[in-house]
Amino acid sequence: MGLQAGGFLPDGHTVVALISFAGAPAAPDPASIYTGSQLIMVKTDGKTFPGGDPWKCITCGLPAANAASRNPQLDYPQPFGDGKRVLAGTNIIDCGSHLLTDTGCTPDQTHIYPIRFNNTADGSGKGGLIRELRIHPDDVHLGFNSVNIANGTYGQYAYFGALAFNPAPTTGVPLSPRYDLTDVSRLFDPTDVQPVSVSPDHPDELVYNPAALSVGELRGFSGDGKEVAYIGYPAESSNIDVFAADLTTGKIRRLTSNPEYTDPIDISPDNNWTVAEDTRGTDRQMFLAGMRGIPPITDLITTSATSSTRNNGQRRFFQPYLIDRYGDRGSYQGQRINAAGDGGPGSVNDPNWNARSDPRWSPDGTSIVYWQALAVPPACGGTNPLPCETSTEPGGRTDRLMIAHLTSRTPLNLPAIAPLASDTVPWGTPYEPGSPVPDRPHPPAGTYTLPGKKQGSAKVEITETPDRANVSSVAVTYTHFSDDGETFLDGTERVTSTRPAITTISVDWFSDLTQTGATNGTKKTSPDGFHLTIDILTNIFQATGTLTTTIDGHAYTQPANGT
């Protein structure tokens, strides 16, 4: 990967990007600093920096002492609103009193400080591993995710905390200037209502709670910083969406609902729009999620597997979509940002150029920056039925930075976001370093009834692993089940899940569902079932048997193995 786009600086005309320099002469040539992975700034308005170039390197040539304790990766670069700092990987690049764009921001004035998440009671050690960091708009707080491995399951929780610069730490590693995460909350409460639970009034009934706070992976914040955006427990079976929850009240809104997969998003500075990178239009997920209105019961064990089918290794199927505040509804399914073009090689809507994380709004709400990568082997060519495309970009590059200008928009002029009055998230739980990671509660083994909100019911049989730590299988029988009174579901679905390795999940899926009413469809596996084994970190599709969803006569079938 030779490029990764970041966000806009406060001027709205400069973006940061992670690139890989190649071809620089060896030291002691002064140009030797332009080598390897570096963070740069790029002008988007046709102007140049004082040296005459449309770009300027931020990290090139830093004295070793200025980055002695930095963490290796500089991915997902995000400028702070003060224009003086950039979050990159698990580091903060800081130019002190200078704006990053000023001539006074030179290598000797620039430092790279690591971020440390304490995970021990006495403050010792290197700290916990964190990923997918997102700056809160107040420039003080940070959202992030941390992976946990418990009971043979690979999972993660989202966290929210304050950034505190520590110039001279006395405990923990490194014992050099760093940013510490303080007053951290885990965005999860095991005592709170869970998405699927046993009815408190009827112990033989299950309840689906759409208002339950179930933060899977944190994805960012609203423009005003009052909400946290995240991938949550599905609202409909096999449909992976993004939600937003008020950081104070916990009130939830669903940002996307299209049956395709959504992950990278950014909410506009005025909160009125979401730019989402989504597989919609590709039919990638329709074989799983095309039938709407199925309650998310088998998702107790299928979510990791269904979400992992979105990619083929490094090939993404994302394209950027603009969705208003009220989300997908009826015939409104957002607007593809890069729809114009002839679809040919190198065009703005070339299907072989796929969007990558993360899109970012300009501060005035008139532009969006995103980046794309061209499908390359093994995601194309060889045994893969997708032929490889010859890049039309300069030098045959396979990554490119894109800017979408929303020409009909009036520039926003919003005030700076004041720091939050409290570091505490009331519906989360205070994080205690060194404490055990909690399990996510699930309904215990048993046979239950799930009543339809309008009509019918579902019989649900849940089986647990021998240690009762996880659900191992879910079987559901629907009898004219309807939550909306317009579509009616009949038939059976049974899924069993195992973990051959920590990051690998296998599902054995048997489905024979029929939907009638406003929509007519079926969701059926082959007689021997559908059997998927997939590593949730590499996302290479490998399955036997078939799973086909047919909606109003249109059949959606699964991808071929390895694609």
Side-chain angles (χ1 to χ4, degrees):
M1 185 188 303
L3 168 73
Q4 187 178 53
F8 284 87
L9 270 71
D11 64 11
H13 302 294
T14 309
V15 298
V16 294
L18 176 66
I19 67 167
S20 181
F21 280 106
D29 191 298
S32 64
I33 62 173
Y34 298 104
T35 188
S37 184
Q38 305 285 356
L39 198 69
I40 67 169
M41 298 178 289
V42 182
K43 291 288 187 182
T44 66
D45 57 359
K47 296 182 179 180
T48 61
F49 288 95
D53 293 318
W55 60 273
K56 175 185 175 182
C57 188
I58 300 173
T59 55
C60 297
L62 263 65
N66 289 15
S69 300
R70 60 163 282 187
N71 293 315
Q73 300 300 317
L74 297 175
D75 52 352
Y76 298 102
Q78 302 161 60
F80 283 77
D82 60 17
K84 301 173 183 178
R85 296 174 294 164
V86 180
L87 172 71
T90 51
N91 304 283
I92 291 177
I93 301 168
D94 191 327
C95 208
S97 61
H98 301 283
L99 294 174
L100 292 163
T101 52
D102 285 352
T103 54
C105 184
T106 56
D108 63 299
Q109 296 294 311
T110 305
H111 293 78
I112 302 180
Y113 301 117
I115 299 171
R116 185 176 183 275
F117 174 44
N118 182 33
N119 64 344
T120 58
D122 62 1
S124 61
K126 295 181 179 179
L129 296 177
I130 57 177
R131 61 184 299 273
E132 299 281 0
L133 285 63
R134 299 293 184 273
I135 303 170
H136 186 272
D138 70 358
D139 272 5
V140 173
H141 293 89
L142 187 74
F144 60 97
N145 302 284
S146 183
V147 170
N148 60 283
I149 298 174
N151 299 315
T153 300
Y154 176 99
Q156 67 179 344
Y157 285 102
Y159 296 81
F160 180 82
L163 285 165
F165 184 65
N166 188 345
T170 58
T171 60
V173 176
L175 287 174
S176 58
R178 70 191 191 210
Y179 278 85
D180 289 333
L181 285 161
T182 65
D183 298 312
V184 175
S185 294
R186 182 184 288 121
L187 301 185
F188 172 72
D189 183 353
T191 67
D192 201 355
V193 174
Q194 301 302 309
V196 178
S197 61
V198 178
S199 169
D201 301 318
H202 303 282
D204 59 345
E205 287 188 2
L206 284 186
V207 178
Y208 168 60
N209 308 292
L213 285 155
S214 181
V215 180
E217 183 172 271
L218 187 144
R219 300 306 302 168
F221 300 95
S222 57
D224 61 8
K226 293 181 179 180
E227 295 177 308
V228 59
Y230 61 93
I231 301 172
Y233 189 87
E236 300 170 273
S237 188
S238 300
N239 190 348
I240 309 299
D241 288 308
V242 179
F243 302 80
D246 189 287
L247 280 167
T248 301
T249 67
K251 183 179 180 181
I252 294 172
R253 63 187 178 103
R254 187 178 178 185
L255 302 183
T256 64
S257 64
N258 187 284
E260 289 289 345
Y261 181 93
T262 302
D263 187 341
I265 64 108
D266 195 31
I267 299 175
S268 63
D270 63 359
N271 302 322
N272 288 328
W273 298 89
T274 298
V275 54
E277 291 179 358
D278 197 295
T279 64
R280 64 185 69 186
T282 68
D283 292 346
R284 181 74 181 178
Q285 301 292 104
M286 292 295 285
F287 79 104
L288 287 163
M291 182 177 283
R292 310 299 298 275
I294 303 176
I297 305 302
T298 57
D299 302 75
L300 287 166
I301 57 174
T302 61
T303 301
S304 294
T306 55
S307 63
S308 298
T309 62
R310 69 192 184 276
N311 300 333
N312 176 31
Q314 286 301 309
R315 185 188 180 197
R316 303 322 194 226
F317 293 83
F318 292 140
Q319 295 297 345
Y321 284 81
L322 194 62
I323 305 169
D324 71 21
R325 176 180 181 84
Y326 305 101
D328 302 308
R329 57 201 182 274
S331 62
Y332 177 77
Q333 298 292 303
Q335 171 190 354
R336 182 169 166 180
I337 290 173
N338 61 340
D342 60 11
S347 64
V348 70
N349 62 339
D350 180 348
N352 292 322
W353 281 92
N354 302 136
R356 303 292 297 265
S357 299
D358 278 329
R360 293 290 175 194
W361 286 91
S362 64
D364 68 358
T366 65
S367 299
I368 296 168
V369 60
Y370 65 101
W371 66 287
Q372 293 180 312
L374 182 65
V376 297
C380 64
T383 59
N384 193 302
L386 177 70
C388 290
E389 179 180 302
T390 300
S391 173
T392 60
E393 296 299 314
R397 297 180 186 132
T398 56
D399 302 285
R400 64 186 186 184
L401 188 68
M402 308 290 284
I403 303 287
H405 296 291
L406 309 182
T407 56
S408 64
R409 299 290 176 93
T410 300
L412 301 170
N413 185 18
L414 300 173
I417 303 299
L420 293 177
S422 172
D423 296 325
T424 302
V425 179
W427 48 266
T429 52
Y431 169 72
E432 298 181 8
S435 61
V437 177
D439 292 326
R440 291 187 185 270
H442 62 264
T447 300
Y448 304 92
T449 298
L450 175 70
K453 291 183 175 62
K454 294 293 185 179
Q455 188 172 327
S457 63
K459 176 184 175 183
V460 181
E461 298 174 79
I462 293 176
T463 305
E464 294 176 287
T465 54
D467 60 3
R468 306 189 69 182
N470 300 297
V471 174
S472 60
S473 70
V474 179
V476 190
T477 301
Y478 295 97
T479 303
H480 222 50
F481 180 96
S482 179
D483 275 341
D484 61 9
E486 297 179 0
T487 57
F488 304 90
L489 189 61
D490 291 276
T492 61
E493 195 159 42
R494 175 168 54 89
V495 183
T496 299
S497 172
T498 57
R499 290 269 183 171
I502 291 296
T503 63
T504 301
I505 185 168
S506 290
V507 292
D508 300 307
W509 200 314
F510 295 84
S511 183
D512 186 7
L513 298 178
T514 299
Q515 192 173 62
T516 56
T519 300
N520 292 280
T522 59
K523 184 177 181 181
K524 294 180 179 291
T525 54
S526 52
D528 58 343
F530 170 71
H531 309 279
L532 171 69
T533 297
I534 195 163
D535 188 307
I536 61 178
L537 299 183
T538 57
N539 308 143
I540 305 298
F541 188 92
Q542 294 291 336
T544 59
T546 61
L547 173 57
T548 303
T549 294
T550 303
I551 304 296
D552 292 332
H554 188 107
Y556 300 96
T557 57
Q558 69 207 52
N561 282 346
T563 66

